[in-house]
Amino acid sequence: MTYWWIGLGILVLLAALIWQMARSWRARGRRQSDIALPEIAPSALGSTRVETDGFYVATSRAGDPLDRIVVGGLGFRGRAVVSVHPEGVRLEIAGEPAKLIRASSIRDVGRATWTIDRVVEEGGLVLIAWTLGETDVDTYLRILDDPTAVVDRVRELIPTAPRAETSTGEKP
């Protein structure tokens, strides 16, 4: 009989933990209500300059790589198809409608080594610094093939300007 009480106690603690995690996630979403939702990608875009498979890792506020953005389907990591078009970067995260990072909102692109809960080899992540509404954000992608083509094609979309350090302190 004692084992039943211990088991029940563990189940109650586990349920309380899951409830608190869900409550915290919703609170983060409410705190980020000032952030605009990402644009849904239109079905008709210009010619594809490069397309590749990879993983969407995270989007965080620029300058704070530990502050994950959770609004508009950007909160969860997942497989993704990344394609670069004249209009911008199309990001199709598994289970979410495709998003479009407009070329006019891209501030910089480069390579990074870490974000939130992911550390990889030197330059193993592609970092796209862009503006979501009025909030500067950084999106991190893990490209399965050589990411050089993606970085180069995105860089072609950016008007020439002096490049600043990224939120992870690296020069892109």
Side-chain angles (χ1 to χ4, degrees):
M1 185 70 166
T2 304
Y3 291 118
W4 286 100
W5 286 110
I6 292 172
L8 180 63
I10 290 172
L11 285 177
V12 167
L13 286 174
L14 184 61
L17 178 66
I18 291 171
W19 176 78
Q20 183 61 34
M21 288 169 50
R23 186 172 163 252
S24 298
W25 191 261
R26 285 191 305 271
R28 176 178 288 274
R30 283 191 302 273
R31 283 192 308 270
Q32 294 177 353
S33 63
D34 63 321
I35 299 175
L37 296 176
E39 180 181 351
I40 302 298
S43 57
L45 289 173
S47 62
T48 303
R49 296 180 178 177
V50 67
E51 180 174 294
T52 187
D53 289 329
F55 293 94
Y56 167 76
V57 178
T59 297
S60 64
R61 289 184 194 263
D64 191 358
L66 300 178
D67 186 13
R68 182 186 299 268
I69 301 296
V70 300
V71 299
L74 297 175
F76 296 105
R77 172 185 323 201
R79 283 186 109 14
V81 176
V82 180
S83 56
V84 180
H85 304 267
E87 297 86 354
V89 178
R90 184 177 190 272
L91 182 59
E92 189 174 344
I93 305 167
E96 292 289 334
K99 317 273 188 268
L100 179 66
I101 301 173
R102 289 259 174 217
S104 59
S105 70
I106 298 174
R107 299 185 332 272
D108 207 350
V109 65
R111 307 287 284 277
T113 302
W114 66 276
T115 186
I116 300 178
D117 58 354
R118 177 68 60 191
V119 177
V120 297
E121 72 278 359
E122 185 73 28
L125 297 172
V126 173
L127 183 152
I128 301 174
W130 57 294
T131 303
L132 177 57
E134 296 192 13
T135 305
D136 288 343
V137 297
D138 296 334
T139 293
Y140 298 88
L141 307 168
R142 177 88 162 147
I143 304 298
L144 298 177
D145 299 325
D146 182 19
T148 305
V150 173
V151 172
D152 290 345
R153 296 301 81 75
V154 173
R155 188 165 285 132
E156 291 171 1
L157 299 175
I158 304 170
T160 56
R163 294 178 19 188
E165 283 191 11
T166 63
S167 63
T168 55
E170 298 176 8
K171 287 277 189 184

